[in-house]
Amino acid sequence: MYWAPMPIDAHAVQFRAMARRCLTLDIAPAGVSFASPDAAPLFDRVPEVDAPASFSVPKAYAELLKLAICHQAPDRFSLLYDVLWRIRHGEASLADNPADAAVARLNDYAHNVRRDIHKMHAFLRFREQRVDDRTVFTSWFEPKHFILRQAIPFFVDRFSTMEWFIATPIGTAAWNGSELVYGPPAERAPQPADAVLDETWLTYYRTTFNPARLRLKAMAAEMPRHYWANMPETRLIPAMVSGSGRRLQDMAARAPDPVPGRSQRVRPRP
Amino acid sequence: MPLSLLRKLEILADAAKYDASCASSGGAKRNARDGGIGSTTGAGICHAYTPDGRCVSLLKILLTNFCRYDCAYCVSRRSSNVERARLSVAEVVQLTLDLYRRNCIEGLFLSSGIARSEDDTMSDLVAVAKTLRLEHGFKGYIHLKTIPGADERLIGEAGLYADRLSLNMELPTEAALKAYAPEKDVGAMKKGLATTRSCIEAALGEAKPARGRIGRAAPRRFAPAGQSTQVIVGADRSSDITILRNSTALYSSYDLKRVYYSAFSPTGHPSAALPDIATPLLREHRLYQADWLLRFYGFDLRDLEQATPEGMLSLEIDPKLAWALAHRGDFPLDVNKAPRERLLRVPGFGVRAVDRIIAARRLAALGLADIARLAGAIGRARPFIVTRDWRPGSLLDDGALRRKLTPPAKQLELFS
């Protein structure tokens, strides 16, 4: 049994290098344990090899690797190696078979990672701040998986003429209008006030809600509670929900509107 | 005292929220790498969800809720006592950019009451989109209403700046429109939809390479995300089949991307002509399911007519299951052999599930557990399929099958 140290946020390049070493040494999936480099080693490290095997992998596997490796589940590395091993030992189209249990699990991881990236694009909120003489948009966001580098290019495309800084527990990203710099994990700090976010946005969010259509499960399915802490509008939800019954009763009790005098004078223009 | 900007936002967002359309998908991909602000990725993003389960994707507001018309179903009709407000072009532009820079929205959905003439209203809508695009380099999503009766040139201009255009028919029959919106000119509404359609087609036609030319000219952008409409459900007494027949005609006549269904909802400002009674949301949901069957599952109107003898879709079970129960002779289907169009008719199988099954069965004969994994759930499909290790036997002929497949009535969500 060998120990293959993998950082908790290992990306595809690191995993490929280690997997190539294991395959060169003909180590079967059951013979290797992928674990944090900080863990107390129970087994010998996978030995270095001078010339690791070079090979190409099917496109479907490369796609799966790119996303599934971002998942936080500890078994993602061993599942990825298991599938890679079987691809190299006769099951060439394995990554295309969603009925295989390991592939199905990795597909599920990839799906969750894709969703987490999408939710970061959707739910991250910027706050405008004056820093020295510059306007900087800052944000604190907590993704579920190790998706920072997959998610950030979207913000560069969309907000390329703004200066912004995104901090997360898995790293930071800073954009100054021309250059992107990633930094180490950050800790949550108090969020600065922003009148647009704290007043305009909350007013809009509260108003666009229709109390006659309360569907809390649908809301929670699309906007999991995990993300609520960093979305200022979610603190309005309890009052919106508890007030909706009374608003409906008030509406039901209302007689038809008395016709305003103005309406007697206007008509569509011919 | 003049209204504050926040109060105007409140009045005009409240008036716009009955429009069900929220899509920010489709159309051209753009980004701000060369300046300006914003992007569209092709797929829309829902930036938040409200407790009604609907997404917040666009800043959805009216330019003004002053209106000369008196449509009974509309909260902004002139005989309604609702508070009135008007935003300037500059104010809408500022609100859109402010919220966009905080990553709260994908863009703007702008509609309007008709306070002055149709042309004046359409010009104002165009001015907002034009200012965002040309003065601010805005690359985000813009959805504009086209105003029935407005000059064709204004519609032609709107499509140059908007991703999507829409014109709401609001009611499914001309008789209903005559009854509840007697001043509306149905001919002008149809002409508006037709104008947008022909502008879209003309732009696409120009994009084709000329004979003998190599390569192709950049397509002229005209409402790249197409046009849509909305029909209110339950304001008038039209049946579901009437509504779907109307949708089928609208899809084919005007090449619509979507017909939105909006369950009639109390506004707090009931009209004497139309009581403020909410339509069940489930009815709206069943109409969307039936609309999907017509557009993506190969069903035609006759299939649905057969499954809805009274003209109404069942609220208890989904329309595909209702159809399958009425056509048991067509089942069971062998999932390892049946062609795609037959698999799409199996209750509980979505388009993605069918595509996954077809991909997986090339590699191995599928069992019931495989189908459960590929389709996500197996409950509704089980009596209708044969797999490597499963046959429904007499289950399919069971007289109580419908009852067995009817989900228990959901408890209403309580107001906490």
Side-chain angles (χ1 to χ4, degrees):
Chain A
M1 190 77 172
Y2 287 104
W3 170 46
M6 273 285 132
I8 186 161
D9 60 348
H11 41 79
V13 176
Q14 289 163 300
F15 176 80
R16 272 173 205 271
M18 180 58 78
R20 228 178 273 137
R21 255 159 79 186
C22 294
L23 281 167
T24 309
L25 296 165
D26 209 27
I27 304 173
V32 57
S33 161
F34 293 88
S36 160
D38 307 324
L42 294 171
F43 316 107
D44 290 340
R45 265 171 186 273
V46 176
E48 299 284 343
V49 290
D50 292 336
S54 169
F55 53 86
S56 57
V57 294
K59 194 167 160 243
Y61 181 79
E63 298 276 317
L64 198 55
L65 169 63
K66 192 178 103 182
L67 289 171
I69 198 160
C70 301
H71 200 280
Q72 44 82 22
D75 66 352
R76 64 197 186 281
F77 301 123
S78 53
L79 285 169
L80 282 164
Y81 186 63
D82 173 63
V83 172
L84 180 61
W85 171 271
R86 286 192 284 148
I87 286 174
R88 299 288 298 155
H89 290 82
E91 295 179 63
S93 54
L94 178 62
D96 284 309
N97 181 8
D100 179 84
V103 172
R105 205 173 166 92
L106 287 169
N107 277 336
D108 189 44
Y109 288 175
H111 172 77
N112 282 313
V113 165
R114 212 178 286 119
R115 185 171 157 89
D116 197 34
I117 293 169
H118 184 76
K119 294 302 183 194
M120 182 168 180
H121 296 164
F123 298 155
L124 178 145
R125 302 283 180 258
F126 279 123
R127 291 176 176 273
E128 189 183 72
Q129 262 184 290
R130 293 297 290 176
V131 178
D132 304 327
D133 280 339
R134 305 173 349 257
T135 300
V136 183
F137 288 83
T138 62
S139 181
W140 167 256
F141 189 81
E142 293 168 68
K144 288 183 179 172
H145 304 286
F146 298 101
I147 56 162
L148 190 65
R149 280 162 196 259
Q150 303 272 358
I152 286 297
F154 165 87
F155 295 101
V156 177
D157 279 352
R158 177 161 291 196
F159 302 112
S160 47
T161 47
M162 289 169 16
E163 191 173 332
W164 46 259
F165 178 75
I166 293 171
T168 78
I170 57 166
T172 64
W175 172 257
N176 65 4
S178 58
E179 200 188 358
L180 183 64
V181 179
Y182 287 105
E187 284 188 14
R188 191 176 210 278
Q191 299 296 295
D194 176 308
V196 170
L197 203 57
D198 298 327
E199 291 171 27
T200 312
W201 171 237
L202 263 51
T203 298
Y204 178 67
Y205 179 78
R206 190 166 38 73
T207 310
T208 198
F209 161 62
N210 184 347
R213 301 181 59 107
L214 206 59
R215 280 160 73 231
L216 297 176
K217 263 193 210 152
M219 171 183 70
E222 296 297 341
M223 194 168 71
R225 280 192 177 261
H226 171 90
Y227 301 104
W228 287 24
N230 299 309
M231 302 169 74
E233 63 273 26
T234 56
R235 67 169 180 261
L236 301 177
I237 291 173
M240 288 161 74
V241 173
S242 63
S244 65
R246 187 183 41 74
R247 285 174 70 187
L248 281 186
Q249 282 169 6
D250 288 353
M251 284 197 264
R254 280 190 73 142
D257 275 0
V259 175
R262 177 192 65 239
S263 78
Q264 304 300 324
R265 299 189 300 275
V266 293
R267 286 291 180 277
R269 292 188 179 164
Chain B
M1 201 185 85
L3 297 172
S4 72
L5 185 60
L6 280 184
R7 181 65 193 135
K8 288 198 259 185
L9 172 64
E10 221 166 31
I11 293 168
L12 295 167
D14 189 77
K17 75 181 174 200
Y18 303 100
D19 206 305
S21 163
C22 68
S24 56
S25 57
K29 291 188 185 181
R30 302 182 294 261
N31 63 54
R33 295 271 188 166
D34 298 324
I37 178 169
S39 63
T40 46
T41 60
I45 297 176
C46 301
H47 283 276
Y49 290 82
T50 49
D52 53 23
R54 296 215 273 195
C55 83
V56 183
S57 181
L58 304 169
L59 170 64
K60 194 187 287 181
I61 45 174
L62 305 190
L63 201 48
T64 175
N65 64 340
F66 285 102
C67 193
R68 297 180 157 273
Y69 284 79
D70 202 31
C71 311
Y73 46 79
C74 180
V75 66
S76 303
R77 70 184 183 282
R78 66 168 185 268
S79 62
S80 154
N81 245 335
V82 74
E83 190 175 1
R84 307 282 167 168
R86 179 181 197 284
L87 285 164
S88 69
V89 169
E91 284 171 328
V92 177
V93 167
Q94 194 57 49
L95 282 170
T96 306
L97 292 172
D98 278 349
L99 291 173
Y100 197 87
R101 288 197 184 100
R102 272 104 187 140
N103 202 41
C104 295
I105 52 171
E106 286 297 283
L108 174 66
F109 173 111
L110 190 61
S111 180
S112 184
I114 298 161
R116 290 171 292 151
S117 72
E118 279 72 8
D119 282 352
D120 288 336
T121 307
M122 194 70 229
S123 299
D124 286 347
L125 296 180
V126 172
V128 170
K130 195 172 177 176
T131 308
L132 278 169
R133 292 278 192 243
L134 301 186
E135 282 180 32
H136 299 277
F138 182 67
K139 311 282 176 55
Y141 193 90
I142 300 179
H143 178 150
L144 290 186
K145 285 281 160 203
T146 55
I147 305 296
D151 194 300
E152 284 181 18
R153 274 172 306 182
L154 291 169
I155 294 179
E157 206 183 351
L160 301 180
Y161 307 113
D163 292 277
R164 169 166 288 185
L165 297 176
S166 67
L167 187 157
N168 288 355
M169 291 304 288
E170 303 292 20
L171 293 176
T173 63
E174 292 196 15
L177 279 165
K178 276 212 171 68
Y180 294 107
E183 295 157 347
K184 275 210 174 173
D185 177 351
V186 180
M189 293 163 84
K190 290 183 170 173
K191 187 159 168 268
L193 288 168
T195 301
T196 301
R197 178 186 184 160
S198 54
C199 287
I200 291 171
E201 285 174 350
L204 290 174
E206 280 174 24
K208 291 207 181 93
R211 194 185 286 268
R213 288 278 304 275
I214 296 168
R216 51 188 285 174
R220 186 162 64 94
R221 258 175 52 93
F222 189 94
Q227 74 166 330
S228 61
T229 192
Q230 166 174 286
V231 175
I232 301 172
V233 177
D236 69 312
R237 301 177 65 88
S238 300
S239 71
D240 290 343
I241 284 296
T242 303
I243 291 170
L244 291 166
R245 192 176 298 126
N246 176 54
S247 302
T248 307
L250 288 170
Y251 277 120
S252 65
S253 304
Y254 307 114
D255 197 23
L256 299 174
K257 282 283 186 291
R258 283 287 291 274
V259 173
Y260 288 93
Y261 303 99
S262 179
F264 183 62
S265 176
T267 62
H269 296 277
S271 122
L274 208 55
D276 232 3
I277 298 170
T279 302
L281 298 184
L282 197 50
R283 183 173 174 205
E284 178 190 288
H285 180 60
R286 294 288 183 237
L287 280 165
Y288 276 117
Q289 289 178 318
D291 183 287
W292 250 246
L293 292 182
L294 292 171
R295 291 192 297 143
F296 306 119
Y297 288 80
F299 281 65
D300 63 29
L301 210 52
R302 255 173 321 171
D303 292 323
L304 294 174
E305 276 165 353
Q306 287 166 3
T308 54
E310 309 289 320
M312 295 299 280
L313 300 166
S314 164
L315 292 182
E316 288 177 336
I317 56 172
D318 68 85
K320 200 207 272 187
L321 178 57
W323 177 86
L325 286 169
H327 293 81
R328 299 187 200 197
D330 293 6
F331 297 98
L333 278 188
D334 185 339
V335 292
N336 285 302
K337 291 192 192 122
R340 186 170 186 279
E341 65 268 20
R342 300 288 309 281
L343 286 176
L344 286 171
R345 298 234 164 192
V346 175
F349 282 5
V351 172
R352 281 184 58 198
V354 167
D355 290 340
R356 279 196 212 126
I357 288 168
I358 289 172
R361 74 186 185 185
R362 289 197 192 107
L363 303 167
L366 304 175
L368 201 59
D370 297 320
I371 299 297
R373 193 157 49 224
L374 296 168
I378 197 76
R380 268 172 301 166
R382 227 163 53 104
F384 299 97
I385 57 172
V386 169
T387 70
R388 189 191 66 223
D389 53 0
W390 162 259
R391 302 191 71 83
S394 62
L395 185 56
L396 188 54
D397 303 318
D398 185 344
L401 186 57
R402 181 188 165 111
R403 187 175 48 75
K404 285 180 179 165
L405 291 175
T406 301
K410 269 188 219 143
Q411 211 179 340
L412 286 173
E413 280 175 303
L414 296 172
F415 306 122
S416 52

